[in-house]
Amino acid sequence: MYAAYAASFSSGDLSRQVGCSVVSENGDLLSTGWNDVPKFGGGLYGPEDKPYRDMDLEEDSNDRAKAEMAEKIRVGLGKEWESDGKREALTELLRKARFFDITEFQRAVHAEMEAILACARNGRSTRNAALYVTTFPCHNCTKHIIDAGFKEVFYIEPYAKSKALTLHCDAVTTGTEEREKIPFLAFIGIGPRRYLDLFSLSLGTGYKIERKMDGKKIQWKRSTAVPRLQMQPISYLDREELALNSLNKLISPKRIQ
């Protein structure tokens, strides 16, 4: 997952940065991918390929297409929808219908697709491989994941727009009980944001570690060991509870009224 997370930083997409990695049955890293615009000859545009990425063109093609279609719908409904109030009402109706969730008109290749295509370009099989991605796959990527023969998928962030489980309930699941389906599982392990802090000897914000002295490994002792990271006086759960209590105090008089 750290490889997927690191790959996401290469993305210049205006919507979100997503990273992906493909790992073989034996644990070998086969490819990485991120979401960005494809270029002639294979692969994706990078910072040196101006001005072809969306961030260089300063516009998201998908958002533009949705705005144009929404305007055509409004014009088709007639002049009574020309007022600002009617425009806002129509926009709200389209939003409730999930019209603005459409992703058909993006120029960018999604991270999962790029990771799969990178395997294809280099002659590496994805059959029975595992896919790690920073965001839950969309339904478009899901059909490619199924077709490519992946064994399992791990993700961090949810993605509400995805209809993967609805459209492909025959082939994917979020559990582990069904053998004939690909499990899409929430990632459990060392968070990629903390990976350097915990495992690097000198990088990140973790305290520097010496592993040897006079050519001999320094033995770890619980009695003298210190945490790699500076500990907070209270946990994030305690901080959230304090914030919630403060919020309740602010809104409770309004509830009483």
Side-chain angles (χ1 to χ4, degrees):
M1 188 58 82
Y2 176 74
Y5 180 71
S8 72
F9 298 146
S10 296
S11 170
D13 192 85
L14 293 174
S15 297
R16 67 172 70 202
Q17 290 178 303
V18 181
C20 179
S21 66
V22 174
V23 179
S24 73
E25 284 187 282
N26 297 323
D28 296 321
L29 181 63
L30 300 180
S31 71
T32 58
W34 55 91
N35 53 324
D36 220 318
V37 178
K39 66 179 180 180
F40 172 76
L44 307 174
Y45 284 121
E48 70 281 0
D49 298 312
K50 294 181 179 181
Y52 302 109
R53 295 197 295 176
D54 286 350
M55 64 179 300
D56 299 317
L57 299 175
E58 300 181 0
E59 184 180 44
D60 186 313
S61 59
N62 194 61
D63 287 345
R64 181 187 64 201
K66 288 186 291 186
E68 291 173 350
M69 288 190 295
E71 180 62 15
K72 288 180 179 179
I73 292 172
R74 187 196 63 76
V75 172
L77 289 172
K79 292 185 177 180
E80 64 269 24
W81 289 87
E82 290 183 357
S83 67
D84 291 339
K86 287 288 188 177
R87 285 174 180 266
E88 292 177 2
L90 177 59
T91 299
E92 185 59 28
L93 286 172
L94 292 174
R95 183 175 290 109
K96 288 181 178 179
R98 301 188 69 177
F99 172 84
F100 294 106
D101 288 356
I102 294 173
T103 60
E104 292 296 313
F105 305 99
Q106 291 178 342
R107 295 177 66 237
V109 173
H110 286 193
E112 301 96 312
M113 294 184 187
E114 167 57 17
I116 293 171
L117 291 170
C119 285
R121 290 195 300 268
N122 294 283
R124 296 167 181 167
S125 175
T126 55
R127 188 177 297 278
N128 293 323
L131 185 140
Y132 291 79
V133 61
T134 56
T135 302
F136 188 94
C138 72
H139 40 276
N140 286 319
C141 287
T142 296
K143 59 189 176 185
H144 291 82
I145 291 170
I146 298 168
D147 196 21
F150 281 94
K151 180 177 64 176
E152 53 192 355
V153 173
F154 299 94
Y155 69 92
I156 296 178
E157 299 174 359
Y159 186 53
K161 294 181 180 180
S162 177
K163 290 186 174 292
L165 296 174
T166 302
L167 297 176
H168 299 287
C169 59
D170 59 309
V172 300
T173 179
T174 54
T176 57
E177 296 80 15
E178 301 175 83
R179 291 188 177 182
E180 299 301 318
K181 295 184 180 182
I182 305 172
F184 281 30
L185 305 174
F187 175 70
I188 299 175
I190 303 299
R193 294 183 182 181
R194 284 298 194 188
Y195 203 83
L196 281 177
D197 296 333
L198 293 172
F199 293 107
S200 172
L201 297 181
S202 57
L203 301 176
T205 59
Y207 295 126
K208 190 174 181 179
I209 282 185
E210 295 293 340
R211 291 193 296 179
K212 65 180 181 179
M213 181 179 294
D214 299 328
K216 300 292 184 180
K217 175 186 172 184
I218 298 175
Q219 296 299 321
W220 184 83
K221 296 180 181 180
R222 182 180 295 274
S223 59
T224 58
V226 296
R228 284 301 311 272
L229 302 172
Q230 185 176 3
M231 301 295 288
Q232 296 291 335
I234 56 175
S235 72
Y236 76 92
L237 292 174
D238 294 327
R239 295 197 297 275
E240 286 183 356
E241 185 175 0
L242 289 172
L244 181 60
N245 291 336
S246 298
L247 181 61
N248 285 332
K249 289 180 181 179
L250 290 172
I251 64 177
S252 56
K254 295 181 180 180
R255 286 183 175 177
I256 295 173
Q257 292 175 2

